[in-house]
Amino acid sequence: MIDWARHRVLVIAPHPDDEAIGCGGLLSRITHAGGRAFVLWMTIADIRDYSAAGLSTSDQRYHELRAAAEFWPLTGWHLARPGTDNLRLDTVARHDLVDLIERGDHSVTLSELRPTVVAIPDPTSYNQDHAAVAAAALTALRPGPGLYRHQPELVLTYEQVGDCWNGQSHTSTPTFFVELTPADLDRKIAGLRLHESQWRDHPHTRSETAIRGLAALRGAQTGVDSAEAYRCLRLRA
């Protein structure tokens, strides 16, 4: 059993809402236990989308981000690339993204924060930003002597409902499950709802029905009512 109270957990999220979709239950568990939770959000931008409004703005996303940070509550957070023209992270050189994660000029880098747990997006995601951030995070978290670079004890990749749409003949099998109480699952949904511009009705991968359905499935796969599933890249015990 993991004692979340002793951990410093860093979630690396391409956009505001990804931390709630992939790790909202984990964030609930950590903050409830008295551990420290941090999020590195990579970018926001003005973007046309398939919402009722037809677009979301960077100002809107930033307001939602601040509300989510207070809700969990996060011990610390940073938005790496704010503005209206920084959405396409796959057009940013990987070494620049690696630097933002590893030792950029902010307080939630790996070198500054020295987290014990890091959660990153699924590298096989169809979303170009998620894939770019995951690739950079894998480089930043590469194995090596702790004398030179911080090595977290636990490194996880988190999932989203639509990650199976990746063109591969099989999807990554979860290897790490976080049990969620009904209160944890409710807080996950509430945290996602704070990203109002990104909330969608069912059937949609960002709907309450989809999120709760995936939690029920992952729970059944590990013998509990509800769970979040991850793929474990490193567990150092």
Side-chain angles (χ1 to χ4, degrees), residues 9-19 27 37-44 65 69 74-82 89 96-111 113 115 117-121 133 136-137 140-141 158:
V9 180
L10 173 62
V11 176
I12 300 175
H15 317 106
D17 77 351
D18 292 322
E19 84 292 343
L27 290 172
F38 303 81
V39 174
L40 173 57
W41 283 293
M42 298 302 288
T43 193
I44 53 175
L65 174 161
L74 299 179
T75 308
W77 59 271
H78 179 70
L79 174 61
R81 296 174 63 85
L89 294 173
D96 289 336
L97 294 178
V98 172
D99 191 60
L100 284 172
I101 296 168
E102 194 171 22
R103 52 185 179 182
D105 186 20
H106 59 87
S107 62
V108 294
T109 60
L110 298 178
S111 59
L113 178 61
V117 180
V118 178
I120 70 174
V133 171
L141 291 160
Y158 56 84

Side-chain angles (χ1 to χ4, degrees), residues 50-227:
Y50 291 99
S51 65
L55 61 87
S56 58
T57 69
S58 59
D59 287 345
Q60 184 178 17
R61 301 294 297 272
Y62 187 72
H63 176 78
E64 294 167 352
L65 174 161
R66 292 292 299 267
E70 293 176 6
F71 169 78
W72 292 114
L74 299 179
T75 308
W77 59 271
H78 179 70
L79 174 61
R81 296 174 63 85
T84 60
D85 58 355
N86 296 315
L87 180 67
R88 288 289 302 273
L89 294 173
D90 62 328
T91 65
V92 180
R94 183 183 296 187
H95 64 78
D96 289 336
L97 294 178
V98 172
D99 191 60
L100 284 172
I101 296 168
E102 194 171 22
R103 52 185 179 182
D105 186 20
H106 59 87
S107 62
V108 294
T109 60
L110 298 178
S111 59
E112 180 73 18
L113 178 61
R114 300 182 67 82
T116 56
V117 180
V118 178
I120 70 174
D122 187 338
T124 69
S125 174
Y126 67 86
N127 184 290
Q128 72 276 355
D129 285 354
H130 288 225
V133 171
L138 287 171
T139 299
L141 291 160
R142 62 198 181 277
L147 176 65
Y148 303 113
R149 284 181 293 99
H150 176 64
Q151 298 290 319
E153 300 170 20
L154 179 61
V155 178
L156 305 169
T157 67
Y158 56 84
E159 66 173 355
Q160 302 198 10
V161 177
D163 280 344
C164 59
W165 185 259
N166 55 21
Q168 299 186 12
S169 59
H170 65 279
T171 56
S172 300
T173 301
T175 55
F176 189 95
F177 295 85
V178 175
E179 182 179 1
L180 305 184
T181 67
D184 292 325
L185 185 53
D186 287 344
R187 290 195 75 213
K188 178 185 176 82
I189 298 298
L192 179 56
R193 277 190 176 276
L194 290 173
H195 299 283
E196 185 178 359
S197 66
Q198 305 306 301
W199 182 259
R200 300 291 186 269
D201 294 327
H202 198 65
H204 194 282
T205 58
R206 292 199 300 274
S207 69
E208 179 170 355
T209 299
I211 299 295
R212 289 188 182 276
L214 182 59
L217 172 64
R218 295 313 191 199
Q221 290 174 335
T222 193
V224 298
D225 287 339
S226 297

